[in-house]
Amino acid sequence: MAQTLLDKVWEAHAVRTLPSGQTQLFIGLHLVHEVTTPQAFSMLKELGLPVRMPERTFGTLDHIVPTTSQQRPYGDPLAEEMAVHMLRNAKDFGVPLFDVDSGRQGIVHVIGPELGLSQPGMTIACGDSHTATHGALGAIAFGIGTSQVRDVLATQCLAMAKPRLRQVRVEGALAPGVYAKDVILTIIRRLGVKGGVGYAYEYAGPVIERMTMEERLTVCNMSIEGGARFGYVGPDQTTFDYVKGRPYAPDGGAFDRAVTWWKAVATDAGASFDDVARIDGSTIAPVVTWGINPGQSVGVGERIPAPEAAPEDERATLREALAFMGFEAGQPITGTKIDVAFIGSCTNSRLSDLRAAAEVARRGKVAKGVRALVVPGSQGVAQAAEKEGLHELFRAAGFEWRKAGCSMCLGMNDDKLRGREVCASSSNRNFIGRQGSPHGRTLLMSPAMVAAAAIAGAIADVREVVR
Ligand code: SF4
């Protein structure tokens, strides 16, 4: 019988069915970082348990790391304390850690694929909501809570209910100036921020098939913002080419054997899904969020919608979003003044993201009064970008070139919005307070659109900058 990748990977990792009906699932790769692990490691210490499979557990420092200087001790005592705990726990439990001296440190969802740790056919868990990123490689990858981090550390297994599966097909072709970020923001807008609850998403169709791995990572990254615990893309030649030669990838004959297995886990022709959603890629424009969740977005040429035009049960949220953002219904999003431009985060901080933004940045200078940050997702990305001279290009245009970390994606380090600042951001969440100020306002968009906004000082259509 034809099976989906979800069926095959789930079956391959199922230890047994639990009395609750959940599956005890073996976890192939456990990624850990400083924020969601201190308590989990403490619980292991209290129970006198070791990490069950340290060879399948890898750590990094990302959320709290300052991006100006990574010299220890960090200025923020809380950040320093978290770093100390992470370093000590990694040492005590024999877990490899990519700290800032390793040359491999970075955002957990950037370094996993970059180092070849994340591979097709795997189950991957991490105490972070955006773990679905790794699904781009054809893996089942999901975020877990602190008590589940403890469970995986102690047993390398997790109790999970298998979700239903929706195939999200993006048909046709994208127009120039439209990026992977626009694709996923459009999927979330059309299917809703809760549309994926209870589902996993299999992204497919010609637009997804043509995407590079870095573009697929952007799409899968935001699965959770559409309510899906995880999302994936079937492994294909793009995947194999991406994985080959990376530090933790199999090599030689082992790589060839792995490719045979990776091909076998792809969804079979004729497999059935619980639901199929179709989006015409040619209808997608550069997208900007105007509200307080990633589904509240418009194409850059559109106007902010009126609550009255929405179904009754959505109007209160739309009114709250308008009031918080200080927007009027019917107002065009283009021309909205910005104070800050942020290019970074596990959604859009890879080399191709920086290249796309640089392509825009080299055509102008950051507008007066705009604070503009470029934060590579990893030390590896930073090194590659610097080799191409992108750091100099950004600096010449008036952007700050920072060190790797989560930075202004969330307010857990020194990079924060102040007061009511408006930020054009390539990150993934525009929730109230997300970027460190309880009153700060976040507009999500692609890195190229952020660069265009930085130069214009206001939301602008990147297609008019890069023709
Ligand atoms: S970049 Fe943002 S979303 Fe990604 S792991 Fe860091 S804080 Fe989480």
Side-chain angles (χ1 to χ4, degrees):
M1 199 177 125
Q3 286 189 302
T4 64
L5 181 145
L6 173 59
D7 295 330
K8 296 183 207 180
V9 175
W10 198 273
E11 277 173 23
H13 292 81
V15 178
R16 62 185 174 129
T17 302
L18 298 165
S20 64
Q22 292 176 304
T23 306
Q24 183 184 356
L25 204 61
F26 178 76
I27 301 302
L29 174 67
H30 188 198
L31 298 168
V32 294
H33 61 83
E34 74 281 13
V35 176
T36 50
T37 55
Q39 271 181 299
F41 279 117
S42 293
M43 287 189 261
L44 252 64
K45 277 184 184 162
E46 279 164 26
L47 295 166
L49 294 172
V51 169
R52 181 72 177 78
M53 291 192 173
E55 70 277 18
R56 289 181 179 272
T57 312
F58 294 86
T60 188
L61 295 164
D62 52 8
H63 287 62
I64 52 91
V65 172
T67 62
T68 42
S69 162
Q70 295 182 329
Q71 286 286 75
R72 302 272 311 284
Y74 300 146
D76 175 354
L78 192 59
E80 176 61 20
E81 191 184 330
M82 282 195 193
V84 166
H85 278 296
M86 188 70 214
L87 293 164
R88 186 183 305 141
N89 285 327
K91 189 159 174 275
D92 291 352
F93 287 92
V95 170
L97 176 72
F98 303 112
D99 68 14
V100 292
D101 298 328
S102 68
R104 291 180 169 179
Q105 171 266 342
I107 306 173
V108 66
H109 309 312
V110 175
I111 64 163
E114 179 180 84
L115 297 176
L117 291 164
S118 313
Q119 295 170 18
M122 269 186 170
T123 47
I124 301 174
C126 173
D128 188 277
S129 315
H130 295 90
T131 307
T133 312
H134 311 256
L137 290 130
I140 300 301
F142 41 81
I144 55 178
T146 294
S147 57
Q148 291 174 308
V149 171
R150 171 203 61 198
D151 295 347
V152 180
L153 287 173
T155 68
Q156 205 61 32
C157 289
L158 200 59
M160 282 273 290
K162 188 180 176 189
R164 287 172 289 167
L165 183 61
R166 172 178 293 141
Q167 191 183 48
V168 182
R169 297 189 60 80
V170 188
E171 312 283 5
L174 301 180
V178 176
Y179 298 87
K181 182 65 160 285
D182 303 309
V183 172
I184 188 60
L185 284 172
T186 300
I187 290 171
I188 297 167
R189 181 184 178 187
R190 303 238 181 120
L191 302 182
V193 287
K194 294 185 184 154
V197 173
Y199 282 96
Y201 282 177
E202 176 176 297
Y203 300 104
V207 167
I208 302 291
E209 286 161 18
R210 278 195 296 270
M211 281 184 176
T212 64
M213 183 51 60
E214 294 196 352
E215 291 173 317
R216 294 177 185 182
L217 288 162
T218 296
V219 170
C220 290
N221 172 273
M222 291 190 71
S223 302
I224 192 74
E225 308 307 334
R229 182 99 181 257
F230 57 88
Y232 66 83
V233 177
D236 59 9
Q237 197 57 44
T238 300
T239 320
F240 313 142
D241 292 345
Y242 177 88
V243 176
K244 192 168 189 175
R246 294 190 179 266
Y248 286 86
D251 59 5
F255 182 81
D256 297 337
R257 285 193 297 281
V259 169
T260 305
W261 148 243
W262 296 342
K263 283 182 177 166
V265 297
T267 294
D268 297 323
S272 60
F273 301 89
D274 297 297
D275 189 35
V276 177
R278 287 190 166 77
I279 288 176
D280 178 355
S282 67
T283 64
I284 301 175
V287 178
V288 182
T289 64
W290 61 267
I292 52 175
N293 73 51
Q296 292 173 331
S297 65
V298 286
V300 68
E302 292 178 62
R303 290 171 183 272
I304 294 170
E308 295 69 36
E312 180 77 42
D313 60 339
E314 292 175 21
R315 291 181 195 167
T317 316
L318 294 175
R319 288 195 188 103
E320 183 196 359
L322 284 173
F324 179 79
M325 296 298 287
F327 289 143
E328 300 281 340
Q331 180 182 335
I333 196 74
T334 304
T336 302
K337 297 269 182 245
I338 66 156
D339 305 293
V340 179
F342 169 60
I343 296 167
S345 88
C346 57
T347 316
N348 280 129
S349 62
R350 299 177 182 84
L351 185 59
S352 57
D353 297 316
L354 305 191
R355 283 178 180 156
E359 188 56 28
V360 178
R362 73 181 176 83
R363 292 158 201 260
K365 299 266 184 233
V366 171
K368 198 158 175 272
V370 172
R371 195 156 49 107
L373 275 64
V374 183
V375 188
S378 69
Q379 293 179 332
V381 171
Q383 288 150 17
E386 287 173 11
K387 206 166 161 192
E388 293 183 12
L390 297 187
H391 62 315
E392 282 163 4
L393 187 153
F394 280 118
R395 280 183 183 142
F399 290 80
E400 294 175 41
W401 177 254
R402 296 292 190 87
K403 299 194 183 303
C406 293
S407 182
M408 205 181 269
C409 174
L410 88 172
M412 286 192 80
N413 51 71
D414 299 337
D415 303 337
K416 292 178 172 47
L417 294 187
R418 303 166 195 144
R420 287 281 283 161
E421 281 182 331
V422 174
C423 179
S425 177
S426 71
S427 55
N428 48 43
R429 285 192 166 159
N430 51 347
F431 302 160
I432 293 174
R434 172 73 178 178
Q435 291 190 289
S437 163
H439 310 291
R441 293 168 286 174
T442 303
L443 280 69
L444 304 175
M445 62 199 79
S446 72
M449 282 285 287
V450 175
I455 287 164
I459 302 304
D461 190 337
V462 69
R463 295 171 298 186
E464 290 170 11
V465 182
V466 184
R467 289 176 190 271

